[in-house]
Amino acid sequence: MSEDKKESLNFIEQIIEDDLKSGKNNGRILTRFPPEPNGYLHIGHAKAICINFETAKKYGGKTNLRFDDTNPTTEETEYVDSIQNDIRWLGYEWNGDAVYASDYFGQLYEFAVSLIKKGLAYVDDSTPEEIATMKGSPSVPGQDSPYKSRTIEENLTLFEQMKNGEFADGSRVLRANIDMTSPNMLMRDPIIYRIKKEHHHRTGDQWCIYPMYDFAHGQSDSIEHITHSLCSLEFIHHRPVYDWFIEKLGIFPSKQTEFARMNVEYMITSKRKLLKLVNDNYVIGWDDPRMPTISGMRRRGYPAAAIRNFCDKAGVAKRENTIEISLLEACVREELNKTALRAMVVLDPVKVVITNYPEDKTEILHAENNPEDPSAGSRDLHFGRTIYIEREDFMEQAPPKYFRMTIGADVRLKHAYILHCTGIDKNQDGEITTIYTTYYSDSKSGEDVSGIKPKGTLHWVDADNAVPCEVRMYDRLFTVADPTADDSKDFLEFYNQDSLKVIKNALMETSLSESKPGTQYQFLRQGYFCTDVDSAEGKIVFNQTVGLKDSFSKEVKK
RNA sequence: UGACCCAUAGUGUAACGGUAACACACCGGUUUUUGGUGCCGUUUUUCUAGGUUCGAAUCCUAGUGGGUCAACCA
């Protein structure tokens, strides 16, 4: 490979390349994605997944999937399954079988015993309140617990009794013996084991003491010989703790590196807030197409490749950031433009009669499925004397630069003929009921010899063959980019009441009536849509994924 | 009243001591049987003040601003 240009590396890649140069770990790279199985994955997790998997892949390494299941209170098998499903859908396969922090409970217990034997851990009988008080504050040093001076033998006995279930929940904890005066609050003798007589989703009732995050994560990394433990910046204060345990235990030195979390406009990732949206029926579920969950984005029609590309383009650094939603949408359009099948659907139909088209005549027209991809083939379109077009594609009083249908003007029907509009019918309310047109019989798509060059082209459906369908149109879930910015207001105050609009009586071309859930389309001139799981025999439902770029509406605003 | 992290166009990210660039957004043009796509182009950037250096976005110091850290959560 010739390298006239140095590829730009993010700071994590630079660390890895330095490690590679120095021969660290013999060039072996192993990362990990460590979710707690207590909820559904969202866009923030997608970012972490991409960083961990892509970074490893780039350097010939692998990525472990490890469930950080050290708190039996919150964790469930249901989440284990959905997390695995979401990761695979995103396009990643982990190294071997999924692993669990709970696989290491025995080893972790031994680690704790060895720490006690070195005088580096002690059992504390203080109440949670007492422990909190003695911890001090960021600017006030903490104080030693009266139990800190217990003998090794006493600690060994008490810890074993804790393990054997001889004490009540919350009555005692095991603490690391570090430094109560450290400026880092987490180094002030962190709790490493607590008593919880609860059923664990995998180990059942085998244990009644469970390790805390700080005594499980680093050690799990070490046990698996993770070389690069990549996590978000909020764990940066944990790193000294992480390193302390590895050093004192004398185990494999995994290295933690922190990157800034990715925030995205109009999206929230707080589990508590997302749960509120679901429980209070602001959305229909965790996979509501408006949700920032992976399952929601999937149902919305965002391709996995687009999400991966988005995470890549958002980059990796250490500064706080908020990515514009337009970047995500650009990635989605970029992908879908290449892959989505084109189709014609009229969302708000108005009838058009072609008065000079023979009453009993019908035609089959041919339409390409994707102009970007000839291999996508073509499909048949029915055509006849009566069709429907979009109500907003006709104007009685057309402004300049209006290229659509208006009386006296010509406009092309996509894949069909050029029409000349001659007049309209209205009902008593002034609403247009029928538009009358004539067609140029020599202007058929592909064999047009009419010489007429209308500026506009409209999508349409044939009245005799169009099929009714439901279309769900989505807007941002919130009315402001960051609904959590104002502490004095509840984020629900910014819920967008118009985030879902259901169109019950749209008309689709016949070819769509067999559509399977998940299939992605570009409805010509409307945007990208995909078939929803709510679709049933004879009742197809579409979700709007994202609109097309629309320079006409900008023109109108001027 | 402590420690730690951060500061480059509107938003992100790059430039690794050699004179700021890429993407998205924006604006303009062009192509087009999707007002889509494609193509071309315009505008806009190193928090402040000192210092080191022939030379600083980059190194040092201070300041300013933002963020993070005290749950028997992860």
Side-chain angles (χ1 to χ4, degrees):
Chain A
M1 266 201 276
S2 67
E3 294 181 32
D4 13 313
K5 233 183 236 176
K6 249 184 276 174
E7 189 201 359
S8 87
L9 303 173
N10 66 47
F11 80 101
I12 294 173
E13 293 166 338
Q14 287 175 26
I15 289 170
I16 290 181
E17 296 210 351
D18 287 346
D19 289 343
L20 254 21
K21 266 182 211 129
S22 70
K24 195 170 178 181
N25 297 314
N26 298 314
R28 187 179 60 87
I29 302 293
L30 184 62
T31 62
R32 102 269 91 110
F33 175 62
E36 183 186 12
N38 70 346
Y40 295 94
L41 259 27
H42 54 61
I43 184 74
H45 294 112
K47 176 75 182 183
I49 290 168
C50 288
I51 290 175
N52 277 292
F53 280 88
E54 293 292 347
T55 304
K57 194 197 297 180
K58 179 168 183 173
Y59 295 102
K62 296 194 166 172
T63 303
N64 285 1
L65 169 60
R66 179 176 68 240
F67 289 98
D68 229 335
D69 56 350
T70 58
N71 184 359
T73 313
T74 55
E75 296 152 4
E76 289 171 34
T77 308
E78 173 199 348
Y79 298 122
V80 170
D81 298 336
S82 87
I83 288 170
Q84 299 198 29
N85 183 39
D86 284 349
I87 297 172
R88 287 209 171 95
W89 177 78
L90 267 180
Y92 297 109
E93 192 56 53
W94 47 91
N95 179 33
D97 291 332
V99 290
Y100 298 79
S102 54
D103 292 341
Y104 314 133
F105 281 169
Q107 175 69 262
L108 262 13
Y109 179 80
E110 293 306 322
F111 283 157
V113 169
S114 83
L115 239 33
I116 294 173
K117 286 179 178 166
K118 289 176 184 165
L120 295 175
Y122 60 94
V123 173
D124 195 327
D125 304 357
S126 308
T127 64
E129 296 71 33
E130 287 166 340
I131 289 178
T133 306
M134 287 186 286
K135 204 140 203 175
S137 75
S139 51
V140 179
Q143 292 175 339
D144 285 353
S145 161
Y147 302 98
K148 185 167 171 140
S149 54
R150 287 223 250 238
T151 65
I152 289 172
E153 290 66 32
E154 193 182 357
N155 281 319
L156 247 15
T157 308
L158 285 168
F159 186 49
E160 187 168 357
Q161 287 177 300
M162 278 172 62
K163 186 191 78 163
N164 292 338
E166 295 176 30
F167 305 124
D169 283 17
S171 61
R172 268 169 247 256
V173 291
L174 184 70
R175 292 231 255 171
N177 187 353
I178 307 182
D179 177 8
M180 289 305 288
T181 67
S182 170
N184 180 346
M185 297 294 292
L186 295 168
M187 290 290 272
R188 320 243 264 227
D189 291 11
I191 292 170
I192 59 181
Y193 262 97
R194 78 286 213 184
I195 304 170
K196 267 179 187 266
K197 291 178 177 165
E198 286 189 51
H199 193 82
H200 185 277
H201 75 113
R202 291 188 78 244
T203 61
D205 299 317
Q206 189 186 344
W207 295 89
C208 65
I209 55 170
Y210 292 93
M212 297 286 289
Y213 168 84
D214 279 317
F215 200 68
H217 199 99
Q219 286 86 331
S220 300
D221 283 346
S222 181
I223 289 167
E224 294 169 17
H225 285 215
I226 299 296
T227 57
H228 299 267
S229 185
L230 312 176
C231 62
S232 54
L233 229 28
E234 54 263 43
F235 290 99
I236 197 164
H237 302 291
H238 292 260
R239 193 168 68 209
V241 185
Y242 183 105
D243 290 338
W244 191 88
F245 285 126
I246 282 177
E247 186 208 321
K248 299 303 178 192
L249 260 11
I251 54 180
F252 179 82
S254 300
K255 287 292 174 196
Q256 173 177 304
T257 301
E258 310 85 8
F259 56 86
R261 240 180 41 209
M262 176 182 72
N263 300 295
V264 184
E265 286 180 340
Y266 301 99
M267 288 188 170
I268 57 171
T269 51
S270 153
K271 194 168 295 169
R272 206 197 96 245
K273 293 188 172 77
L274 292 175
L275 188 67
K276 180 112 179 125
L277 289 171
V278 174
N279 287 346
D280 295 357
N281 300 312
Y282 286 92
V283 296
I284 59 173
W286 286 95
D287 67 343
D288 185 295
R290 291 164 292 179
M291 288 285 272
T293 51
I294 294 187
S295 52
M297 293 189 287
R298 175 168 59 230
R299 186 166 175 186
R300 175 78 171 256
Y302 290 0
I307 295 173
R308 277 186 260 125
N309 201 231
F310 169 67
C311 290
D312 179 51
K313 284 184 171 171
V316 184
K318 296 178 80 166
R319 71 164 151 163
E320 197 181 316
N321 62 82
T322 302
I323 315 290
E324 290 176 338
I325 193 79
S326 60
L327 179 63
L328 210 206
E329 292 174 343
C331 290
V332 170
R333 288 193 192 99
E334 182 186 22
E335 181 66 23
L336 256 16
N337 181 50
K338 291 184 292 191
T339 59
L341 302 172
R342 311 291 127 125
M344 293 201 287
V345 174
V346 176
L347 301 177
D348 183 14
V350 61
K351 187 163 47 166
V352 175
V353 175
I354 306 164
T355 53
N356 64 340
Y357 195 88
E359 297 260 7
D360 52 354
K361 185 176 174 182
T362 62
E363 282 182 78
I364 298 291
L365 305 172
H366 302 286
E368 76 223 332
N369 284 328
N370 186 346
E372 308 291 319
D373 178 13
S375 73
S378 66
R379 66 190 188 284
D380 292 341
L381 250 29
H382 297 276
F383 187 75
R385 191 169 190 266
T386 307
I387 61 165
Y388 288 96
I389 66 166
E390 210 69 62
R391 190 168 285 277
E392 68 167 25
D393 281 341
F394 175 87
M395 275 184 95
E396 240 184 308
Q397 247 74 52
K401 287 195 180 175
Y402 185 80
F403 304 147
R404 282 115 102 137
M405 187 179 284
T406 188
I407 296 171
D410 295 333
V411 69
R412 171 169 294 278
L413 294 180
K414 181 73 178 176
H415 299 129
Y417 297 92
I418 297 171
L419 258 35
H420 181 82
C421 181
T422 54
I424 54 173
D425 276 349
K426 290 183 185 177
N427 63 16
Q428 291 162 330
D429 302 328
E431 188 179 58
I432 295 167
T433 52
T434 308
I435 299 171
Y436 296 98
T437 63
T438 57
Y439 85 121
Y440 300 90
S441 58
D442 57 352
S443 67
K444 188 170 173 176
S445 252
E447 46 198 79
D448 180 5
V449 291
S450 70
I452 304 168
K453 299 283 179 199
K455 284 219 166 157
T457 302
L458 307 184
H459 62 282
W460 53 276
V461 290
D462 174 54
D464 291 337
N465 295 282
V467 181
C469 62
E470 176 177 322
V471 181
R472 298 174 184 168
M473 306 291 284
Y474 299 103
D475 198 354
R476 350 223 94 137
L477 237 195
F478 300 102
T479 55
V480 295
D482 183 2
T484 66
D486 188 343
D487 289 333
S488 67
K489 289 187 176 167
D490 189 88
F491 77 106
L492 290 170
E493 287 183 39
F494 302 105
Y495 174 77
N496 179 6
Q497 300 290 343
D498 298 322
S499 57
L500 168 64
K501 281 183 182 151
V502 179
I503 299 172
K504 293 277 188 189
N505 42 11
L507 291 173
M508 64 181 178
E509 63 173 75
T510 325
S511 69
L512 256 26
S513 50
E514 302 285 296
S515 182
K516 298 280 175 291
T519 316
Q520 287 157 320
Y521 301 96
Q522 183 197 100
F523 292 173
L524 248 44
R525 302 208 307 129
Q526 295 288 5
Y528 295 98
F529 294 78
C530 73
T531 314
D532 190 72
V533 288
D534 285 349
S535 298
E537 190 76 28
K539 186 216 172 198
I540 302 286
V541 177
F542 296 104
N543 290 317
Q544 180 197 39
T545 303
V546 65
L548 253 23
K549 263 209 221 163
D550 183 5
S551 49
F552 174 67
S553 63
K554 282 176 195 161
E555 184 75 26
V556 170
K557 279 181 194 164
K558 280 195 242 171

